[in-house]
Amino acid sequence: MTDRPNLPEIAPATDEAVNRAASLLRAGRLVAFPTETVYGLGADATDDRAVASIFEAKGRPRFNPLIVHVVDRTAAQAVATFDERARLLADIFWPGPLTLVLPRAPGAAVSLLVSAGLDSVAVRVPGHPVARALLAACGRPVAAPSANRSGGVSPTTPLHVSDSLGHRVDMILAGGRCRIGLESTVVDLTGPRALLLRHGGVTREEVEELIGPVEVETAPSQAPKSPGQLTSHYAPGLPVRLHATEARPDEALIGFGRNLMFVKGGAVRLNLSEQGDLQEAAANLFAMLRSVDRPGDFSGIAVTGIPDRGLGVAINDRLTRAAAPRPAPLTAQDPDAEKT
Ligand code: TXA
Ligand code: MG
């Protein structure tokens, strides 16, 4: 998009830019920033109006809770109540791609809108140095969903953010491409049984090694605990076809490792990881989906099978949602429209 008059500033993350971004946050403005998972659309989590403007910028219906990003465990404990399981997981995986859903700490200074009416709160200490510098400079917890319009593909570069949000964000702190490229794993510890709400950068097995069995929230019933679990969620504009064993001449084909050799056809052929490395594939996933999401050029996106182990589980989860039947177009007024 080149004809937008008010493109947001994309600033390399110098000390000066980080301080300016922190001031913007404290003034209630929106700043997109890199994390090791995806770019986040940040707002001061203690400021209701700022948090509300996240929903507005994303075109995201209101009742979805947001992740609160904090600089360290101490800051997290001001927001949420930790039990032994939470302490163990935080010790090992923070800073990093794990989000814990915990009871709100009594008197937590976080906007109720962040929790969307629940008495829980999702917290995470991100590992990306720019995110950490920003959180330290800001001195407040920062609410941040992925920095894309609702229902779209999560951004893993600054340009993805400006393409998706344009002038709806006040500043984009640039910190290169996200290393992991998939959102954080979300684990709910509000009840006696740990619940995996979203697959992500940390695998279920890694979590279970520390705290024992973790149940996976399966197909959401009427009231999904985590809106990220809704069926058509990570949806590109073009239809997505999974487990492709061949591609039509007008389809874009995305493969993995040596799989691609056995699949014929495709107007373009991209490999998530020639080495068959799931981590590399996760990091490339959203960027590749975006790069071929061109309805003028292709009729659809065909994807070969991806191994369903380790990070492959999270990749397949995102792909399944991208390929799910699309709901009718959503409007912000639709109370049932829960997409993040
Ligand atoms: O990697 C990530 O987690 C990125 C980066 C920016 O940190 N953030 C992100 O946020 O993906 P978002 O808002 O797109 O996804 C947050 C997920 C949603 O599935 C939401 O429903 C769930 O976390 N969540 C947040 N608070 C919750 C709560 N209190 N109870 C249950 N689920 C919650
Ligand atoms: Mg999202």
Side-chain angles (χ1 to χ4, degrees):
M1 287 194 164
T2 50
D3 53 353
R4 270 192 319 255
N6 294 318
L7 281 176
E9 178 193 0
I10 299 184
T14 58
D15 287 353
E16 184 274 329
V18 167
N19 286 330
R20 208 147 41 80
S23 304
L24 282 171
L25 285 174
R26 283 197 301 267
R29 310 284 289 276
L30 297 180
V31 172
F33 62 97
T35 81
E36 69 279 34
T37 58
V38 299
Y39 273 74
L41 176 63
D44 177 352
T46 68
D47 177 341
D48 288 316
R49 288 181 63 113
V51 173
S53 68
I54 289 181
F55 295 104
E56 194 171 36
K58 281 185 67 87
R60 181 196 237 191
R62 221 141 263 217
F63 301 109
N64 294 349
L66 301 172
I67 297 173
V68 175
H69 297 67
V70 289
V71 72
D72 58 21
R73 263 279 282 290
T74 311
Q77 280 168 335
V79 167
T81 303
F82 280 62
D83 63 9
E84 190 51 32
R85 300 169 299 177
R87 274 189 287 275
L88 269 173
L89 289 172
D91 276 346
I92 300 296
F93 293 116
W94 283 358
L98 178 70
T99 295
L100 299 176
V101 176
L102 300 171
R104 279 174 75 101
V110 166
S111 159
L112 289 172
L113 197 51
V114 162
S115 297
L118 305 169
D119 44 20
S120 57
V121 64
V123 278
R124 155 164 131 82
V125 176
H128 195 292
V130 174
R132 294 173 66 70
L134 178 65
L135 290 167
C138 177
R140 296 187 192 162
V142 171
S146 50
N148 54 278
R149 291 283 285 170
S150 185
V153 175
S154 291
T156 54
T157 69
L159 279 180
H160 293 164
V161 179
S162 73
D163 278 351
S164 185
L165 290 173
H167 59 273
R168 295 179 187 91
V169 55
D170 294 301
M171 177 179 183
I172 301 173
L173 265 185
R177 237 180 88 144
C178 301
R179 182 174 58 81
I180 294 174
L182 284 180
E183 296 90 341
S184 60
T185 302
V186 181
V187 177
D188 181 348
L189 297 175
T190 55
R193 285 187 307 194
L195 206 57
L196 185 77
L197 299 183
R198 181 173 75 184
H199 293 282
V202 171
T203 65
R204 177 188 187 180
E205 292 73 25
E206 288 173 310
V207 173
E208 290 188 325
E209 244 173 71
L210 287 175
I211 62 166
V214 174
E215 261 174 62
V216 178
E217 196 192 45
T218 44
S221 46
Q222 321 82 311
K225 285 202 90 167
S226 181
Q229 295 298 92
L230 282 173
T231 316
S232 168
H233 184 76
Y234 298 90
L238 282 175
V240 177
R241 199 161 64 77
L242 303 184
H243 308 289
T245 50
E246 60 187 285
R248 293 191 294 266
D250 56 357
E251 275 181 316
L253 175 66
I254 297 180
F256 173 80
R258 287 162 48 86
N259 285 358
L260 199 53
M261 290 174 19
F262 304 105
V263 180
K264 292 201 169 48
V268 294
R269 298 165 61 86
L270 298 176
N271 202 328
L272 288 166
S273 166
E274 300 211 344
Q275 311 305 320
D277 174 351
L278 286 165
Q279 221 161 344
E280 184 184 16
N284 283 331
L285 179 66
F286 289 138
M288 281 192 184
L289 282 174
R290 273 171 192 278
S291 74
V292 295
D293 191 15
R294 304 198 306 260
D297 296 331
F298 311 117
S299 66
I301 303 171
V303 186
T304 68
I306 311 287
D308 207 35
R309 58 180 153 78
L311 274 182
V313 178
I315 294 173
N316 283 321
D317 174 73
R318 301 303 190 275
L319 283 171
T320 305
R321 289 172 211 291
R326 309 290 162 79
L330 294 167
T331 63
Q333 290 95 293
D334 179 359
D336 296 325
E338 293 189 78
K339 297 176 78 185
T340 55

